[in-house]
Amino acid sequence: METVAVSNSNVLDYLNDPSPRTLGRSPLEWLDRLQKPTVVHVTGRDRSRTRAMATLLHGNEPSGLFALHRWLFEQHTPEVNMLFLLGGVYPAKIPPRFSFRQLPKGLDLNRCFKEPFEGEEGAIAEAMLAELHRAQPECLLDVHNTSGTGPAFAVTITNDAEHQALTSLFTDRLIMTDLRLGALMEYSEQEVPTVTIECGGAQDDQAHQLAYEGLVRYTSRPDVLALEKAEWDVAVLRNPIRVELAPEATIEYRLEPSGQADLTFPPDIEHRNFGIVSPDEPLGWVGKKGLGILTAIGHNRTENMAQILRVENGRIFPAQAIKAFMITTNPVIAKSDCLFYAVKATGEPIF
């Protein structure tokens, strides 16, 4: 029995076992039909168990929605019941579609999954958590795109065999962090294995395909929490440093600094993602304020800048060989979220 966009909530809409007619012919057509953050239920062969997947928490990260539309349109029958949560419908629909991470002057939805659940985004996050509480899923995935181009990876606050098994459905890189930002990933603290999947760049067809293939594996296997069924070994990077830009600081992406910005990165800085940067390789330039515009926050909330970056004649260099990721050339994301994360070149934490 199909239920089409009939809400029993002021916050969420619901779809149960939607047909291709309901979905429209393309992800864009489906997005146009969505009016609110939406919950999709799909009945599985084993109705005694449920798995969950959230996606589109950020309106400019479409791979999860593209994958879900394709999977639903093809009318797959999952091994167990599936609960899908589409969070950032409102920013995704702002023209041009999939351009806005969050509503103008709105909050980042993926920082709102904790009390006091403030504003419209807090209400959406609280409603999504209530759906998860009702469904009691055996595991949860949160599917994103990276803020820049680069290879796929996963993030979790727990590193064990179950979380590595979930990761291996999509990628062979897992970041384990102790930082708590109010992200849905922290649902893992409810003793439900939870992993964030970063599929790659939002404009990358390979990222869309990876999201779809991972979703097929996630929904079709009787057991997704058994590490012996992993398709590849998972490399784990622990407790990266989060480098942030001060809210009042300015950033440019240029081949040479203009002298007008506090921080300048080259336009191809994204190519550094998951590569090793040696201490003699420049990353960019700082203005007159130097590194004072940056913070380097470790898992224990302590400042670690001296272990990450140094300045020589206005140029920024790593203080030691590092492996950086989540580097972006989007100045809005660089300021509202973070510049990048870093661990030692060996993959070990920086202390």
Side-chain angles (χ1 to χ4, degrees), residues 58-61 98-102 108 111 145-148 202 242-245 251 253 270 326-341:
H58 294 138
N60 62 342
E61 299 176 5
F98 301 121
S99 297
F100 287 81
R101 180 182 178 90
Q102 61 210 57
D108 183 332
R111 299 295 180 267
N145 287 106
T146 55
S147 52
R242 178 181 167 93
V243 180
E244 298 181 357
L245 184 65
I251 182 172
Y253 296 89
E270 290 177 313
M326 286 292 279
I327 304 172
T328 179
T329 55
N330 184 325
V332 175
I333 295 175
K335 291 192 65 173
S336 66
D337 191 28
C338 74
L339 283 173
F340 61 87
Y341 289 83

Side-chain angles (χ1 to χ4, degrees), residues 164-165 167-168 171-174 227-228 230-236:
Q164 290 188 26
T167 295
S168 72
T171 178
D172 60 355
R173 298 179 183 88
L174 176 62
L227 186 61
E228 62 268 22
E231 294 191 349
W232 44 61
D233 292 332
V234 175
V236 181

Side-chain angles (χ1 to χ4, degrees), residues 121-240:
E121 291 81 8
I124 294 169
E126 187 175 23
M128 290 174 64
L129 289 174
E131 291 296 325
L132 289 169
H133 180 73
R134 277 191 285 271
Q136 295 291 300
E138 62 187 19
C139 48
L140 168 63
L141 296 180
D142 181 18
V143 178
H144 287 257
N145 287 106
T146 55
S147 52
T149 60
F153 61 97
V155 190
T156 182
I157 63 172
T158 305
N159 175 32
D160 59 19
E162 292 182 335
H163 288 79
Q164 290 188 26
L166 286 173
T167 295
S168 72
L169 299 172
F170 292 81
T171 178
D172 60 355
R173 298 179 183 88
L174 176 62
I175 313 300
M176 195 282 287
T177 178
D178 285 342
L179 282 175
R180 300 294 184 270
L181 302 171
L184 179 58
M185 173 182 66
E186 292 155 29
Y187 195 72
S188 184
E189 293 177 330
Q190 304 296 319
E191 299 184 358
V192 176
T194 303
V195 174
T196 292
I197 304 295
E198 300 279 357
C199 293
Q203 309 301 321
D204 188 348
D205 288 340
Q206 185 176 355
H208 308 331
Q209 183 66 20
L210 182 145
Y212 170 76
E213 292 175 357
L215 175 57
V216 170
R217 287 189 282 266
Y218 185 53
T219 56
S220 64
R221 295 183 178 179
D223 186 358
V224 294
L225 298 175
L227 186 61
E228 62 268 22
K229 295 184 180 179
E231 294 191 349
W232 44 61
D233 292 332
V234 175
V236 181
L237 305 179
R238 295 173 174 82
N239 288 323

